[in-house]
Amino acid sequence: MLLDVVVRDWPQRVRRKGSGVRTWLTGRFGLTVPLVSAPMAGVSAGRLAAAVSAAGALGMIGVSSATPASWIEAEAAVAARGGRPYGIGLMAWALPGNPGQFEAVLAARPPLVSVSFGPYQRYVEELRQAGVTVVTQAGTTDEARAAEQAGVDAVVARGSEAGGHGRAEVGTLPLLQSVLDAVRIPVLAAGGIATARGLAAVLAAGAEGAWVGTAFMGCAETALSGPAAARVLAATETDTAYGRVFDVAQRLDWPAEFGGRALRNTFFDRWAGREAELAADEEAAELIAAARRDGDFDTACVYAGEAVGMVRERRTAADVVAGFAEAATLLGRFAPPGG
């Protein structure tokens, strides 16, 4: 009986073709796998974006608050070299203080741009007028509704399991269900998705694809240092923590509502719950700055999501994408005949 219901109610937006899955995301960008590699500052530069895109998904470049426009220009050229679609992710709160970032992205005209975490609305129309598909990340259903009203092409429902910065109020699955009911624009799912099983789950729910970061952190093409990558590969599913410790220590102006999920270390454990004291401690600020330079990740941070325990070995981006492509087989177990 349950199988009959699943088959009868198979989402109209998800169709299998041969060994693949077609959604709004694959159609929009000519992908073979409905997957975006999330823009992770310090991890995903042009090389990783190009490798993901060459493998049939859509790779993105992550831009930090201090990234110069010249870096964006150079890395965009690397990502575009293979002729496949790619994207760039910007932090809205940082753009007023570094306007060259937005100008560099406009000049590069990547097929996809995400602008999130802060007053992103002012950038949407200019990007769309340039022929760019615009998305933003939402951590609540109200944020997703606001994104639709702002005119974005699609919204990323980003659950609390996700690595890096964002809200931590709602988990991926409840958020995704609520957002799908609340908006009419395409929805991508982010947070805790690391294998074909996770991709199949969000596609079956009605998402147009997955927005995945942590699963790509073990890739040979990342910009991560060797010691940072080793930390990622050694981590388990319970080794992350969420908070503002690292932002406060580094004197970063992230809006307070957007904390970060990172690998837990001794520095985080020392200062969690003491952020006000940390904000006034210059010795601690100097310590974390030195740790970043020296690759000391007992002090410096490595942002990663709760799926990090499934990242166990060095792989190529192509191998990771190929693994996600198996979602079509899992979905095929319940597809209607001829679907």
Side-chain angles (χ1 to χ4, degrees):
M1 180 65 177
L2 177 59
L3 180 59
D4 290 340
V5 172
V6 172
V7 169
R8 186 169 60 251
D9 295 339
W10 185 250
Q12 293 300 307
R13 290 172 295 176
V14 178
R15 285 288 178 264
R16 295 177 67 244
K17 182 180 182 181
S19 60
V21 175
R22 291 184 296 166
T23 69
W24 169 88
L25 181 65
T26 61
R28 185 86 165 196
F29 299 105
L31 311 180
T32 58
V33 184
L35 183 72
V36 176
S37 67
M40 300 173 283
V43 178
S44 51
R47 184 183 177 211
L48 178 61
V52 171
S53 293
L58 193 147
M60 294 194 73
I61 296 169
V63 178
S64 75
S65 59
T67 298
S70 58
W71 185 91
I72 296 174
E73 179 182 358
E75 296 303 317
V78 172
R81 196 170 294 154
R84 297 292 302 158
Y86 72 99
I88 299 176
L90 296 172
M91 302 170 182
W93 66 267
L95 292 177
N98 198 345
Q101 290 186 348
F102 186 70
E103 297 304 320
V105 169
L106 272 180
R109 279 178 169 74
L112 178 68
V113 170
S114 68
V115 189
S116 308
F117 313 124
Y120 64 88
Q121 294 87 343
R122 69 186 73 173
Y123 305 104
V124 172
E125 186 55 30
E126 192 169 0
L127 286 166
R128 294 193 71 194
Q129 288 293 326
V132 174
T133 297
V134 184
V135 304
T136 195
Q137 299 182 55
T140 66
T141 304
D142 283 344
E143 283 190 340
R145 290 192 185 99
E148 183 174 42
Q149 293 170 1
V152 300
D153 295 289
V155 65
V156 180
R158 182 195 180 281
S160 59
E161 301 95 322
H165 287 84
R167 295 187 183 274
E169 283 120 6
V170 189
T172 300
L173 189 54
L175 178 63
L176 176 62
Q177 294 170 82
S178 180
V179 169
L180 286 167
D181 285 342
V183 303
R184 294 183 178 275
I185 57 176
V187 178
L188 306 179
I193 303 166
T195 69
R197 296 183 187 280
L199 176 57
V202 299
L203 289 172
E208 303 292 348
W211 183 275
V212 173
T214 300
F216 287 98
M217 292 185 70
C219 290
E221 298 93 344
T222 72
L224 273 178
S225 69
R231 286 275 178 153
V232 169
L233 297 178
T236 71
E237 62 188 13
T238 60
D239 284 342
T240 69
Y242 177 88
R244 300 190 63 243
V245 166
F246 295 120
D247 291 335
V248 173
Q250 295 175 91
R251 307 300 190 254
L252 296 175
D253 293 328
W254 269 94
E257 63 267 31
F258 302 123
R261 182 171 297 282
L263 298 182
R264 182 188 295 275
N265 62 15
T266 55
F267 187 88
F268 182 93
D269 288 340
R270 176 185 176 189
W271 289 105
R274 301 168 57 204
E275 287 81 3
E277 183 183 347
L278 177 60
D281 192 316
E282 292 307 315
E283 183 177 344
E286 293 170 4
L287 178 65
I288 200 165
R292 289 185 64 192
R293 291 192 301 269
D294 298 341
D296 171 16
F297 294 103
D298 283 331
T299 300
C301 63
V302 179
Y303 288 108
E306 291 183 352
V308 70
M310 288 180 274
V311 183
R312 303 185 184 96
E313 61 183 349
R314 277 292 202 186
R315 303 169 68 193
T316 65
D319 285 340
V320 174
V321 173
F324 276 105
E326 292 301 314
T329 301
L330 295 170
L331 290 169
R333 295 168 58 196
F334 302 108

